Amino acid sequence: MATMTATKTEPNMTEPKTLESNVTELKLTEPELTDHGALWRQEWADAQKTKGPGLKGGSVFYRNIEEELDLARQTGGGLPLHLPSHTMDFSTCDVLGLGQTGALREEFLKELDANPGFPITAGGSRLCDGTNRYHDNLEREIAELVGVESALVVHSGYTANQAIWSTVPRAGDVLVYDELMHATALAGMKVSLALEQKPFRHNDLDHFIEILEELKEISPLIKGGKRCVIIGVESYYSMDGDICPLREMIEAAKDIFPNGNAQFIVDEAHSFGCMGPNGGLGFLKDQGLEDEVAVIMITLGKALAAAGACILSDNTIRSLLINQAKVMICSVVPSFPLSAAGRAGFRVLRSEKAQKAREYLHDLTLFYLDTLTSNPIYKKANAKGFLRMPVHEDGDWHEVPITHIVPIWCKPKHAYYLSFHLVRDGINGTPIVFPVVARGEDRVRIFLHAHNTYDEVKFLVKSICAWAEEMMEIEASGDKNRLPTAARLAYDLLENK
């Protein structure tokens, strides 16, 4: 089966692409035998090689580790670090294209020029002479921009969530959180002083209310306003691409706990920079809810295209984190280059370029959903369960808020098959399977970006539907041992090891 390929010109590195330039920038060619996935497949195949049997009689320490890793390898679940081989990006977190277009680099170099003699070394932890005037000014600028008392810049979203969830909930409090909260938040909860922790079904307002009412009835200290319910949600959910019904949750929590002892912590990793007023300041700002939550976590490595994260709160929470968050106390401060990249990202975020990129990304997402779902092959594959988009099954994306996160759900094992196919066509589709998601919810996660063109999106749809058509042909043949072409190339490597 021939694989599709495409040619395109280099993107403009200083200006965001307009709708018109994106429509004409990429020209699809006739199918050719170009295979972009050979390196990716080899890396995957190498990662599936079992190693435990070769360590018989060796160190039990390493043998036990390898034997545990072999459990995943035996089912094709060994995870390698892939070197880039794609020609079209539908996976990275650079959603506004600030990295791809060079806009962040340009502003970052200006920041370096404005700070001659800048230090490379971090110097120490925040409490041990690591905090300098540059860090202090950066955090004050972010706090003023977003409209909060405090901003604490840390190395990553993991650091931020670990600090928040291990420290903010106090002994006797209860954690109530969406079952699809990010793994980094769940890791923080595991070492929280709040031992009682209750998940609610994803975005299920009724179940959320049911849990709050139950807590009010069974806990006199919470009912009396002596202890708190700490509620964790995300604005945009990174694996499903749907949006939290936060306003309704806040209203319900206020009604059930009028003493104000139900407090929200919101992860805005995937929404900050992509939406909202005054430079894309996020979901909470867009909804006018920023004063209704206790803590906001934002990352600097997605829409801002830099690295690190920031904890937004009042000064009470700031003091608590500085004094008791071990992950901050025991870590050196973010280095100057990391902080400077974040500062540059915030500046670009407020530019006209970034605003045009946000508007374009929204329009591109609508175009993708329209193009994919109107394809007759998609309609057949969707009816047979080969391709699904649960968040968009109602077809109302022109009437409701949407995100740039548009995963394709597949049948079990098919996420890898679709990924092999996309990578062969030059698209970096990422398979997401258990235990990252629940069993039976395998998917390929697709991110749309402001640096993607309309023709690239057409090509993505064409590739997805070509794979689905092949899968339906295999099903119709009745041959249960037959693999789709791109997957066969990958599994042949296993057989030839």
Side-chain angles (χ1 to χ4, degrees):
M1 184 181 199
T3 187
M4 297 177 293
T5 189
T7 58
K8 66 175 181 177
T9 60
E10 285 296 311
N12 186 315
M13 299 302 288
T14 58
E15 293 293 332
K17 300 169 184 176
T18 64
L19 303 188
E20 293 78 16
S21 68
N22 272 283
V23 171
T24 60
E25 188 173 287
L26 179 147
K27 302 298 183 184
L28 294 178
T29 65
E30 290 301 314
E32 299 174 5
L33 293 176
T34 305
D35 182 355
H36 300 281
L39 174 62
W40 199 95
R41 291 193 301 271
Q42 188 62 60
E43 291 166 341
W44 172 83
D46 290 344
Q48 311 318 313
K49 183 179 180 181
T50 56
K51 298 181 180 181
L55 295 178
K56 297 290 188 192
S59 167
V60 67
F61 173 72
Y62 291 106
R63 186 174 72 246
N64 287 345
I65 293 173
E66 292 291 0
E67 286 177 350
E68 183 171 339
L69 290 170
D70 284 347
L71 296 176
R73 292 164 177 155
Q74 290 166 2
T75 59
L79 301 177
L81 295 176
H82 288 291
L83 295 173
S85 60
H86 59 273
T87 60
M88 285 168 277
D89 174 20
F90 287 101
S91 180
T92 72
C93 292
D94 183 18
V95 292
L96 295 184
L98 304 188
Q100 177 76 14
T101 63
L104 178 68
R105 183 190 304 111
E106 180 181 339
E107 194 65 34
F108 174 70
L109 293 176
K110 290 179 183 177
E111 187 67 12
L112 298 188
D113 288 342
N115 293 272
F118 60 83
I120 296 296
T121 180
S125 68
R126 296 300 297 259
L127 295 176
C128 295
D129 294 321
T131 302
N132 58 37
R133 181 60 61 187
Y134 189 88
H135 290 122
D136 186 65
N137 287 340
L138 171 60
E139 291 180 343
R140 290 177 185 274
E141 286 176 12
I142 296 172
E144 182 178 358
L145 173 66
V146 181
V148 295
E149 288 185 357
S150 165
L152 275 173
V153 174
V154 296
H155 295 87
S156 67
Y158 183 95
T159 304
N161 268 332
Q162 186 76 10
I164 293 166
W165 288 104
S166 67
T167 308
V168 173
R170 313 311 296 161
D173 291 345
V174 177
L175 304 186
V176 175
Y177 61 95
D178 191 291
E179 64 179 350
L180 295 190
M181 281 288 286
H182 198 272
T184 57
L186 301 182
M189 293 178 193
K190 287 183 178 180
V191 291
S192 171
L193 294 174
L195 301 181
E196 188 171 0
Q197 304 179 11
K198 294 181 174 292
F200 59 89
R201 289 188 294 271
H202 177 55
N203 273 356
D204 190 327
L205 184 62
D206 291 336
H207 192 219
F208 171 73
I209 293 172
E210 179 183 323
I211 288 178
L212 294 192
E213 290 178 335
E214 177 186 335
L215 287 173
K216 185 175 182 179
E217 291 302 315
I218 66 175
S219 176
L221 290 177
I222 289 177
K223 184 175 183 179
K226 303 295 185 181
R227 292 290 183 270
C228 296
V229 178
I230 309 299
I231 301 162
V233 296
E234 298 180 25
S235 50
Y236 285 7
Y237 284 90
S238 61
M239 289 299 161
D240 287 52
D242 51 357
I243 301 174
C244 176
L246 185 58
R247 183 180 302 280
E248 293 82 358
M249 287 183 172
I250 290 173
E251 291 172 353
K254 282 183 172 182
D255 183 57
I256 296 169
F257 296 108
N259 293 323
N261 56 323
Q263 294 290 330
F264 283 78
I265 296 174
V266 180
D267 183 333
E268 281 225 60
H270 288 274
S271 56
F272 191 85
C274 295
M275 68 174 304
N278 305 321
L281 297 183
F283 178 75
L284 290 166
K285 277 284 188 182
D286 182 72
Q287 299 293 307
L289 297 173
E290 65 271 23
D291 294 331
E292 302 288 348
V293 303
V295 184
I296 306 168
M297 195 282 283
I298 64 174
T299 54
L300 313 185
K302 296 181 175 65
L304 275 73
C310 190
I311 303 169
L312 308 174
S313 68
D314 65 9
N315 285 328
T316 298
I317 299 296
R318 179 186 180 88
S319 295
L320 177 66
L321 293 171
I322 290 172
N323 281 272
Q324 296 191 20
K326 290 182 176 60
V327 71
M328 289 183 59
I329 293 171
C330 301
S331 298
V332 296
V333 299
S335 66
F336 174 84
L338 187 148
S339 300
R343 195 178 202 178
F346 273 102
R347 289 178 178 166
V348 179
L349 200 64
R350 288 171 280 171
S351 68
E352 184 181 354
K353 295 178 185 178
Q355 181 57 34
K356 288 181 179 179
R358 283 186 286 273
E359 294 169 357
Y360 173 77
L361 179 58
H362 179 266
D363 291 342
L364 187 72
T365 304
L366 293 175
F367 176 78
Y368 168 76
L369 293 171
D370 286 342
T371 305
L372 179 62
T373 58
S374 64
N375 189 297
I377 296 174
Y378 174 84
K379 293 178 180 180
K380 292 178 183 178
N382 178 256
K384 291 178 175 290
F386 286 103
L387 300 174
R388 295 188 298 124
M389 293 191 295
V391 171
H392 298 297
E393 290 299 319
D394 292 338
D396 57 356
W397 47 85
H398 283 274
E399 287 76 44
V400 300
I402 57 173
T403 77
H404 56 278
I405 304 166
V406 285
I408 294 290
W409 289 39
C410 311
K411 292 183 177 182
K413 297 184 180 180
H414 287 192
Y416 278 107
Y417 297 171
L418 177 54
S419 288
F420 289 136
H421 181 96
L422 293 174
V423 170
R424 188 192 62 175
D425 284 350
I427 298 166
N428 53 343
T430 304
I432 308 292
V433 300
F434 179 84
V436 178
V437 293
R439 293 188 188 277
E441 296 185 0
D442 295 10
R443 68 199 68 180
V444 173
R445 191 171 76 162
I446 294 173
F447 276 23
L448 299 177
H449 311 87
H451 60 261
N452 290 135
T453 67
Y454 273 61
D455 279 339
E456 283 178 333
V457 166
K458 292 178 186 177
F459 189 84
L460 171 63
V461 168
K462 193 172 183 179
S463 182
I464 291 171
C465 290
W467 173 83
E469 186 172 35
E470 184 179 12
M471 293 304 299
M472 289 188 289
E473 290 173 358
I474 292 172
E475 182 183 62
S477 74
D479 186 350
K480 296 183 179 181
N481 295 319
R482 180 181 163 191
L483 290 174
T485 306
R488 179 73 272 165
L489 293 172
Y491 282 92
D492 281 347
L493 295 173
L494 299 183
E495 296 174 2
N496 295 329
K497 284 196 301 184

